[in-house]
Amino acid sequence: MNKTKTLVPITPGLSRRTFLHSLGALVLTACGGGGGSAGEAAVSRSAVSAKATVNAASLVLPSAATGEASVTTSGAFVHPGLLHTQADFDRMAQKVAAQTQPWYEGFQAMAGNSHTRLSWSPRPVTVVYRGGSYPQNYPQLYGDIAAAYACALYWKVTGNTAYADKAVQIMNAWSSTLQSISGDTNADLAAGIYGYEFAIVGEIMRSYSGLTAANLSAFQSMMANIFYPINIDFLNRHNNTDITHYWANWDLCNTASIMAIGVLTDDRAMFNEAVDYFVSGLGNGAIAQAVYYLHPGYLGQWQESGRDQGHNTLGIALGGAICEMAWNQGVDLYGYDNNRFLAGAEYVAKANLKQSDGTFLTVPYESYANVDVTQPGFSTASQGTLRPIWALVYNHYVNRKGLAAPWSEAFALSMQPEGGSGTYDNSSGGYDQFGYGTLTFTRDPVTPAAAPSGVTAWPAAGQVVLSWWGVANGTSYNVKRSATSGGPYTTIASGITDPLTYTDSPASGTWYYVVSATTASGEGANSSEVAAVTAVQLHTYLTFDEASSTTAADATGNGHTGTLNGGASRTAGKAGNAVLLDGSSGYVSLPNDIVEDVSDFTIAAWVFRNSASTKQWERVFDFGSGTGRYMMLTPDSNGGAVRFSITLNGSHNERQVNGTAPLPSGQWTHVAVTLSGTTLTLYVNGSQVGQTTGAAFTPWRLGPTAQNWIGRSQFSGDPYFNGAIDEFRIYRGALPAAQVAALAQG
């Protein structure tokens, strides 16, 4: 892989907000249980609980500079507890002993692999090189790791200690020899991919009596002192490049390595670093960036979809390993953000499956750009890549959780029995993951989920786009609507199969939706209710009319109170008082996640720019979680005009609408921006000055935002606003041009 540059544990519908704002979220508890939660008002994400199975300690979620939240877990680790627990090994052994299919067939594939042999001779080196002008000896490392894993697995399934001794021999050979990992930047890949794999081997073997305490300690030391420093340095610095430069897999493999080494060495802080990065990291391996764009029906476009499918499928391999390792330690990253990882897996699986006529299935695509490239379309390079990764995804979501994952399931079943390392040519990732998923991950199915889950209903240009997660035994789905919360509901669509989405066109108002599944036994229960507002509705209104005080009341009664910070004070405004910002430290902060439940919108304000300071890149407002995810309005961009922009992965991929000139100074000016569907429109003094179509980013896609500011930028080098702002309004829905003009009449 070379560089070209609410509180609901274990819930299928776990939103980022639930995770970040609920003590104990994402932690599996021994008792499990809990009921479903009602949908949020106006625009909602439902959550449905499920039974928990693994003990874990509580999570503490303090605030962090990323705008998300740091994750802190505590308590003893489960051992063995990376890709496989002892319960998993017991299941494998029982199924293989009984020659039960498909486990036995999977075992035969593993036993017949060239790495599963007692004659294997380790080939350790003092320095592993990957990349650069050095001798490329890293295949010696990944080959030995593949052999050690296969032998460890064979021992756990059969009890044959000769294979355990072989795995220990390989571990000891490397821990007594390896001194460093080097090369060019590809050394970061070596430390990540082979780091997480080798740590898994050590975790399996730690209970074997033939591995002495001294030898285990030496192996742990190698992982912590040689692999981990490279892993964490990469995540912290990215070799001093732009944060969007490295593809998701670079982050993911290093995150997986940190997580695996943390468990192996009983280092809770290390484990937490990995969980935290997956949830809220700045790079492309954090799940919000890795699953770059959610299409209707929860097809989650993976970050490398416009690059090639070999790397795209590797992302599922690495993300799946991270989710399974975390799950086995009681943290549900699988379910985080309404099963966002599943959305990515389903997209990648569907995109790489062939139809009966030999052609590939098609998937939607949203243009992607980073510091190096712009990728306007889905890449068919290496399409159809086979990686032994799908059994893990299918068995977690379908057989462990009872959800529907039709494309991951189809891929998994088509590859049974999944082979392992070396089964597929290296261009298809023969050594980037272990494989053998038919043996290791297949499990008897649970009772299917009782009802669809994770339902969302997002208004867009007068329509409502619904998506949901299906149930394992569902054959089709029904959408129902009511004008009253709780029903009665009228069925407005039925027989929906793929994708699981429906676009409604109701009258203006507030509408309530549920979804049910049809199974072989008939219609099932309704999902949790979600609501959508198709009428324009005032969401936040700051008049700044207080005589003093550091708070600015929200006149809507919605509690979106502003807080004056730094050099912010009051002055005479366009109507009553206004907030005066000094251009140095003054700004107004708004509550966290201020627009997380907003789709179409209008944001409007009166703006007075002081003539003494009319710098470029000041902000009227900037809502986000840092320089990667934000929506902002600047009175003067580097193009010399007022600009609104919104992005999901930094300034290189903004969706923009630009005016024709900067906002004037020395006078009150009304400015407004609206989004209707995918059309952004910019107004100055009630007149349209710019419009952009095809802008597919909406505020809710930003996810959790803790840096929601009037007068301040996400970028620390940008100037603070110098002047006054009054009558700051946020609406759900796009105001018509005539109503924007009416606001501008003052």
Side-chain angles (χ1 to χ4, degrees):
M1 190 183 72
N2 293 322
K3 173 171 70 69
T4 56
K5 36 167 191 182
T6 133
L7 176 62
V8 185
I10 330 176
T11 165
L14 188 61
S15 71
R16 285 172 289 210
R17 174 178 290 176
T18 302
F19 176 81
L20 294 167
H21 293 266
S22 299
L23 184 65
L26 286 200
V27 174
L28 290 73
T29 59
C31 59
S37 65
E40 298 172 6
V43 183
S44 66
R45 303 183 181 193
S46 67
V48 180
S49 68
K51 185 177 180 181
T53 55
V54 180
N55 287 314
S58 63
L59 288 174
V60 179
L61 305 177
S63 61
T66 60
E68 298 269 2
S70 293
V71 177
T72 303
T73 65
S74 61
F77 284 113
V78 175
H79 294 301
L82 287 176
L83 274 190
H84 320 296
T85 65
Q86 188 56 46
D88 294 330
F89 289 124
D90 292 342
R91 180 186 66 249
M92 296 177 219
Q94 292 165 5
K95 298 291 188 180
V96 170
Q99 297 190 12
T100 305
Q101 301 295 9
W103 292 269
Y104 187 64
E105 191 177 27
F107 171 75
Q108 290 178 308
M110 185 270 292
N113 189 282
S114 62
H115 295 88
T116 316
R117 52 188 173 89
L118 296 177
S119 60
W120 188 276
S121 295
R123 297 189 298 160
V125 294
T126 56
V127 181
V128 167
Y129 292 104
R130 178 166 177 170
S133 59
Y134 306 94
Q136 301 298 292
N137 59 4
Y138 66 95
Q140 293 175 223
L141 174 59
Y142 70 58
D144 279 1
I145 293 172
Y149 175 74
C151 290
L153 200 56
Y154 195 97
W155 163 61
K156 294 295 285 188
V157 173
T158 68
N160 188 331
T161 58
Y163 287 87
D165 291 336
K166 177 56 63 175
V168 168
Q169 179 194 12
I170 296 170
M171 291 170 59
N172 291 344
W174 280 91
S175 63
S176 63
T177 305
L178 184 64
Q179 296 179 13
S180 64
I181 299 171
S182 189
D184 59 14
T185 57
N186 284 279
D188 295 320
L189 292 178
I193 296 173
Y194 315 135
Y196 94 87
E197 291 181 336
F198 220 172
I200 288 169
V201 172
E203 180 69 10
I204 296 172
M205 298 307 304
R206 68 185 303 147
S207 63
Y208 179 54
S209 60
L211 180 66
T212 67
N215 286 338
L216 175 60
S217 178
F219 186 82
Q220 291 170 323
S221 178
M222 174 185 71
M223 300 307 301
N225 296 322
I226 296 177
F227 288 85
Y228 170 75
I230 298 174
N231 302 148
I232 194 63
D233 179 70
F234 179 81
L235 293 187
N236 284 337
R237 293 192 309 108
H238 291 87
N239 294 314
N240 298 324
T241 62
D242 183 282
I243 196 65
T244 67
H245 171 62
Y246 283 98
W247 299 99
N249 291 331
W250 290 70
D251 278 359
L252 287 167
C253 69
N254 283 284
T255 300
S257 184
I258 291 170
M259 178 176 286
I261 296 169
V263 174
L264 174 71
T265 61
D266 288 291
D267 190 320
R268 178 61 64 172
M270 194 182 296
F271 177 83
N272 292 341
E273 287 173 337
V275 174
D276 186 55
Y277 197 89
F278 187 83
V279 169
S280 59
L282 298 178
N284 287 320
I287 191 63
Q289 283 84 252
V291 182
Y292 157 68
Y293 189 87
L294 288 174
H295 296 276
Y298 298 145
L299 284 174
Q301 183 176 320
W302 199 262
Q303 189 254 349
E304 303 198 40
S305 296
R307 184 186 182 194
D308 66 76
Q309 299 312 303
H311 290 97
N312 219 26
T313 52
L314 175 57
I316 306 305
L318 296 171
I322 291 168
C323 289
E324 184 68 15
M325 292 188 295
W327 175 273
N328 286 333
Q329 296 304 327
V331 179
D332 185 12
L333 297 180
Y334 280 118
Y336 173 67
D337 191 18
N338 199 4
N339 301 315
R340 195 175 185 102
F341 175 70
L342 175 58
E346 284 292 278
Y347 181 94
V348 175
K350 185 175 184 179
N352 285 278
L353 277 170
K354 285 185 178 180
Q355 302 178 83
S356 58
D357 63 0
T359 61
F360 287 102
L361 294 162
T362 59
V363 291
Y365 184 86
E366 175 64 27
S367 178
Y368 173 83
N370 60 29
V371 66
D372 301 305
V373 297
T374 296
Q375 296 171 333
F378 179 85
S379 173
T380 59
S382 303
Q383 193 171 15
T385 288
L386 298 178
R387 286 185 185 271
I389 59 176
W390 297 106
L392 178 151
V393 180
Y394 157 54
N395 277 281
H396 173 79
Y397 288 106
V398 179
N399 289 341
R400 186 187 263 159
K401 303 300 297 176
L403 303 178
W407 303 115
S408 298
E409 178 176 359
F411 223 134
L413 296 180
S414 72
M415 293 184 68
Q416 281 187 357
E418 276 195 344
S421 299
T423 303
Y424 306 91
D425 64 74
N426 200 37
S427 66
S428 297
Y431 294 88
D432 293 334
Q433 63 285 306
F434 285 130
Y436 308 128
T438 303
L439 168 65
T440 59
F441 299 120
T442 301
R443 57 187 65 245
D444 292 316
V446 299
T447 301
S453 58
V455 185
T456 54
W458 295 112
Q463 297 181 312
V464 177
V465 180
L466 293 104
S467 299
W468 60 91
W469 291 113
V471 300
N473 61 340
T475 56
S476 65
Y477 297 86
N478 314 298
V479 177
K480 306 173 186 181
R481 184 184 69 203
S482 175
T484 305
S485 179
Y489 302 103
T490 300
T491 299
I492 58 174
S494 59
I496 298 171
T497 55
D498 176 70
L500 300 188
T501 181
Y502 178 73
T503 300
D504 188 26
S505 300
S508 178
T510 301
W511 299 97
Y512 302 89
Y513 296 90
V514 294
V515 180
S516 66
T518 299
T519 71
S521 301
E523 184 179 4
N526 289 334
S527 68
S528 295
E529 180 183 85
V530 295
V533 177
T534 55
V536 176
Q537 182 184 82
L538 194 57
H539 172 279
T540 302
Y541 181 24
L542 306 183
T543 65
F544 300 109
D545 282 341
E546 296 83 1
S548 58
S549 168
T550 59
T551 62
D554 175 15
T556 68
N558 291 329
H560 300 152
T561 304
T563 302
L564 279 62
N565 300 274
S569 57
R570 296 299 202 295
T571 188
K574 179 65 178 178
N577 287 336
V579 64
L580 178 64
L581 306 177
D582 65 358
S584 176
S585 63
Y587 67 101
V588 178
S589 58
L590 293 172
N592 289 356
D593 310 324
I594 186 72
V595 291
E596 193 188 31
D597 59 355
V598 174
S599 185
D600 281 6
F601 69 86
T602 302
I603 301 180
W606 284 98
V607 176
F608 188 100
R609 301 181 72 196
N610 283 338
S611 57
S613 178
T614 53
K615 299 177 181 177
Q616 290 184 335
W617 297 120
E618 291 180 331
R619 294 292 194 272
V620 175
F621 67 86
D622 197 331
F623 304 156
S625 57
T627 58
R629 307 176 78 82
Y630 58 82
M631 54 186 286
M632 67 86 173
L633 178 67
T634 178
D636 188 359
S637 68
N638 65 350
V642 57
R643 171 187 294 175
F644 169 83
S645 62
I646 182 171
T647 184
L648 306 182
N649 67 313
S651 60
H652 314 290
N653 201 31
E654 290 182 349
R655 303 302 190 258
Q656 302 175 353
V657 57
N658 293 284
T660 56
L663 295 185
S665 60
Q667 64 187 62
W668 283 104
T669 304
H670 191 266
V671 61
V673 60
T674 68
L675 174 68
S676 177
T678 60
T679 299
L680 284 168
T681 306
L682 186 62
Y683 299 88
V684 173
N685 288 329
S687 297
Q688 179 179 316
V689 296
Q691 189 171 78
T692 299
T693 58
F697 297 166
T698 51
W700 66 265
R701 294 183 182 276
L702 297 176
T705 57
Q707 298 177 174
N708 303 307
W709 298 323
I710 297 172
R712 179 180 174 183
S713 169
Q714 304 292 324
F715 292 82
S716 60
D718 288 343
Y720 285 69
F721 185 82
N722 189 329
I725 295 175
D726 199 5
E727 297 287 304
F728 187 88
R729 305 170 191 250
I730 303 174
Y731 293 85
R732 300 184 196 279
L735 285 173
Q739 293 185 31
V740 173
L743 285 179
Q745 296 305 308

